[in-house]
Amino acid sequence: MSRTMRGVLFMAFVLAVHSWTLVAASPSLKRGFYKKTCPQAERIVRNVVGPAVAANPGIGAGLIRLHFHDCFVRGCDASVLLEGGDSEQMNIANLNSLRGFEAINDAKALLESECPQTVSCADVLAFAARDASEFTGGPTYKVPAGRRDGRISRREEANVLPSPLASAQELRDDFTSKGLSLEDMVVLSGAHSLGIAHCPTFSRRLYNFNATHPQDPSMAPDLAEYLKRRCPPPGQDRTAVPLDVATPNLLDVQYYRNLKKGKGVLISDQTLWTSSLTAKMVDSFADKPNRWAKKYADAMVRMGAMDVLTGNQGEIRIRCAVVNSY
């Protein structure tokens, strides 16, 4: 299975206007794409995401994760939103763990009423991830748009998603195969300041780490005790715990501060502190929240430009869960 991507030319610079805003120069995506065809598009999405996150902060984490899981597989084409027995949603990395579909579907329904078959599901997802960042206390940024929706979603193709058991080196390779840098990987991992993890994704660290240490010695003892109470042996039920036990509903740099204390829940989180490849970046972001915010916004725009369909490619789905019928 190929893990490479077509080259995408883009660059970004940051403007400070009460919040971090990004401008991406791309031959395929542009800011204000719907200015003439659907001028209220971004406002409509925002007006759905805001109340959804206020009612359930977990939706914020879910929308950011949906965008990431979409872009990492086949590019940012909303393929993760397609339903079906062999779709990406059925892959073990996504099964019963994706959230935020209702907000996407509600926003899309309003857009279809306002501007029929004009705004792609892929763009709705990109806008929603940006808005989720803002409504959970993180940076906001300008989203270049013009994506089109794909018509293919295959379960096996989601195998490229990074594993919660991955090392820093494996994560680096996963991200560089998609055209993202090592720093992008560490920056985007900061989204784990939000969200939850289920027991099977980390129980190995508690009960069966290796032949020498039944429990992962890099995990803080108080965190291990908390997780064991939530996930008793063998730790294979579907109980969920916050990825950031300190500020679970805020997108902030507490994630990096937790790693420095041995309080990363997943192996793929804690490895960023224990690996010499990434430890200095973790240390820097933990102490410089504004620096992380700028880089997060920049990296989200870069990720959102991966392997996009534009022009006459793909389609504009009427409903995000199914391809159009012609």
Side-chain angles (χ1 to χ4, degrees):
M1 183 182 300
S2 173
R3 293 166 71 91
T4 60
M5 66 177 289
R6 299 185 301 274
V8 178
L9 177 64
F10 52 81
M11 62 182 178
F13 62 90
V14 177
L15 300 173
V17 187
H18 302 293
S19 60
W20 306 119
T21 58
L22 263 286
V23 179
S26 167
S28 51
L29 303 178
K30 65 180 182 179
R31 287 175 52 185
F33 182 82
Y34 297 107
K35 184 176 181 179
K36 294 182 179 180
T37 58
C38 192
Q40 297 302 313
E42 294 189 50
R43 183 181 297 275
I44 288 171
V45 176
R46 177 184 173 86
N47 288 345
V48 170
V49 172
V53 173
N56 179 2
I59 297 299
L63 290 169
I64 295 171
R65 185 168 182 257
L66 265 181
H67 186 39
F68 174 81
H69 280 224
D70 179 42
C71 292
F72 232 74
V73 183
R74 303 189 70 84
C76 308
D77 67 346
S79 57
V80 75
L81 302 179
L82 288 172
E83 296 177 350
D86 191 44
S87 70
E88 292 168 32
Q89 293 183 26
M90 303 307 292
N91 188 283
I92 191 162
N94 293 326
L95 188 62
N96 299 322
S97 67
L98 295 177
R99 294 183 291 173
F101 294 108
E102 297 88 349
I104 298 297
N105 293 335
D106 288 348
K108 178 61 173 173
L110 291 172
L111 288 165
E112 285 300 308
S113 176
E114 179 79 12
C115 316
Q117 213 159 346
T118 301
V119 183
S120 70
C121 296
D123 278 342
V124 173
L125 191 46
F127 295 148
R130 181 267 315 278
D131 296 337
S133 169
E134 180 182 357
F135 286 121
T136 54
T140 190
Y141 47 93
K142 299 296 183 182
V143 175
R147 300 166 187 80
R148 303 265 294 180
D149 298 325
R151 293 177 56 84
I152 298 171
S153 183
R154 298 190 180 107
R155 177 173 54 186
E156 66 175 17
E157 291 186 353
N159 290 337
V160 300
L161 289 164
S163 166
L165 305 178
S167 67
Q169 293 89 342
E170 290 168 331
L171 292 170
R172 176 199 60 194
D173 294 344
D174 287 340
F175 277 72
T176 56
S177 75
K178 298 295 180 181
L180 298 172
S181 69
L182 178 67
E183 184 179 67
D184 288 333
M185 181 270 286
V186 178
V187 167
L188 292 172
S189 294
H192 279 187
S193 181
L194 296 169
I196 57 176
H198 294 96
C199 294
T201 63
F202 58 82
S203 61
R204 171 185 164 188
R205 300 186 70 196
L206 303 175
Y207 303 115
N208 190 30
F209 187 63
N210 60 34
T212 305
H213 301 283
Q215 180 176 300
D216 186 348
S218 71
M219 180 180 285
D222 57 338
L223 176 63
E225 291 177 9
Y226 166 76
L227 295 177
K228 285 180 176 179
R229 288 196 300 271
R230 299 295 301 273
C231 302
Q236 295 304 305
D237 61 37
R238 295 291 297 173
T239 299
V241 303
L243 286 165
D244 173 4
V245 297
T247 58
N249 295 324
L250 290 177
L251 180 57
D252 57 18
V253 296
Q254 185 62 44
Y255 167 80
Y256 302 102
R257 294 169 181 168
N258 290 344
L259 299 186
K260 293 176 66 175
K261 297 176 182 178
K263 294 187 176 183
V265 172
L266 303 177
I267 288 176
S268 57
D269 290 328
Q270 196 58 48
T271 187
L272 301 184
W273 178 243
T274 57
S275 172
S276 60
L277 276 176
T278 51
K280 289 183 179 179
M281 284 182 273
V282 170
D283 195 36
S284 175
F285 295 144
D287 293 335
K288 297 181 176 68
N290 289 346
R291 182 171 184 267
W292 171 78
K294 292 178 184 180
K295 289 184 176 291
Y296 177 85
D298 193 1
M300 285 293 283
V301 171
R302 277 198 292 274
M303 184 188 76
M306 293 196 315
D307 276 353
V308 292
L309 302 175
T310 59
N312 294 321
Q313 298 173 313
E315 64 182 11
I316 305 295
R317 285 187 225 139
I318 298 172
R319 292 178 53 218
C320 292
V322 295
V323 298
N324 295 338
S325 56
Y326 297 102

